[in-house]
């Protein structure tokens, strides 16, 4: 995880305790957005504001993702959040493998993806390594 994201996650995890004047270990109920003070709201959105201002070429993509996120049903947002957490805990090698698999399955329908993953799970570690060498993940876009 890059430094900016780590600091943002840390700040957001500790923010309620500082913003509400409580210890970080105390379990608490979080208020609705409308009940937050302007300072508390600003503390939540400051990392996003900085990223937005720092990356003018990324603004269209950021806006599109925000729109897509708000239009997702709650269950889909929960799955996406779980996927983001899994991604953050992957090693660079695991991420490269995931990118390659995603790229390979991108144009497949649900049944084709299911069959592909069943075949993938049957491969030996050496077969997986050979496949990944033959089908590398596309180059990553650089961010921030």
């Amino acid at each position: 995880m890059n430094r900016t994201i780590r600091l943002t996650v840390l700040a957001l995890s500790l923010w309620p305790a500082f913003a509400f004047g409580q210890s970080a270990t105390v379990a608490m109920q979080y208020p609705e957005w409308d009940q937050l003070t302007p300072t508390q709201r600003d503390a939540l959105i400051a990392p996003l504001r900085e990223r937005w201002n720092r990356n003018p070429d990324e603004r269209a993509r950021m806006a599109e993702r925000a729109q897509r996120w708000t239009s997702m049903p709650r269950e889909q947002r929960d799955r996406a959040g779980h996927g983001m957490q899994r991604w953050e805990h992957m090693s660079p090698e695991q991420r490269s493998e995931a990118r390659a698999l995603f790229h390979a399955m991108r144009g497949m329908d649900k049944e084709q993806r299911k069959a592909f993953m069943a075949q993938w799970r049957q491969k030996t570690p050496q077969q997986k390594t050979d496949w990944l060498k033959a089908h590398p993940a596309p180059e990553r876009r650089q961010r921030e």
Side-chain angles (χ1 to χ4, degrees):
M1 196 176 346
N2 71 34
R3 184 174 184 269
T4 303
I5 293 172
R6 280 196 311 265
L7 290 174
T8 301
V9 169
L10 176 63
L12 290 176
S13 66
L14 295 176
W15 173 79
F18 295 115
F20 294 101
Q22 296 185 5
S23 149
T25 60
V26 175
M28 59 178 293
Q29 293 291 324
Y30 297 101
E32 296 291 325
W33 182 263
D34 295 338
Q35 296 170 330
L36 296 174
T37 67
T39 302
Q40 292 167 335
R41 290 179 190 177
D42 191 54
L44 281 170
I45 63 172
L48 179 61
R49 180 184 304 121
E50 291 168 16
R51 185 173 176 200
W52 180 272
N53 288 337
R54 210 176 34 246
N55 301 298
D57 295 340
E58 296 291 318
R59 291 177 186 167
R61 195 166 102 242
M62 290 171 68
E64 185 271 328
R65 285 184 173 175
Q67 177 61 39
R68 193 169 21 146
W69 182 263
T70 58
S71 66
M72 284 182 188
R74 180 69 186 169
E75 299 79 28
Q76 191 176 2
R77 283 196 307 260
D78 290 346
R79 282 193 315 271
H82 177 69
M84 287 186 284
Q85 288 175 346
R86 285 183 56 213
W87 181 261
E88 289 171 358
H89 292 96
M90 287 182 181
S91 68
E93 295 79 22
Q94 290 170 317
R95 288 182 183 191
S96 181
E97 178 180 311
R99 281 188 199 99
L101 292 173
F102 175 80
H103 184 70
M105 293 186 294
R106 194 171 190 154
M108 297 179 187
D109 64 28
K110 187 175 182 176
E111 289 302 315
Q112 291 171 322
R113 285 193 305 270
K114 188 175 177 179
F116 180 87
M117 286 309 296
Q119 290 173 350
W120 179 258
R121 289 182 192 98
Q122 297 293 320
K123 291 182 185 294
T124 66
Q126 184 58 50
Q127 288 172 322
K128 289 178 180 181
T129 300
D130 293 343
W131 187 91
L132 290 168
K133 286 180 183 175
H135 304 90
E139 291 295 318
R140 291 178 47 201
R141 286 190 300 227
Q142 294 298 318
R143 295 186 192 161
E144 299 182 55

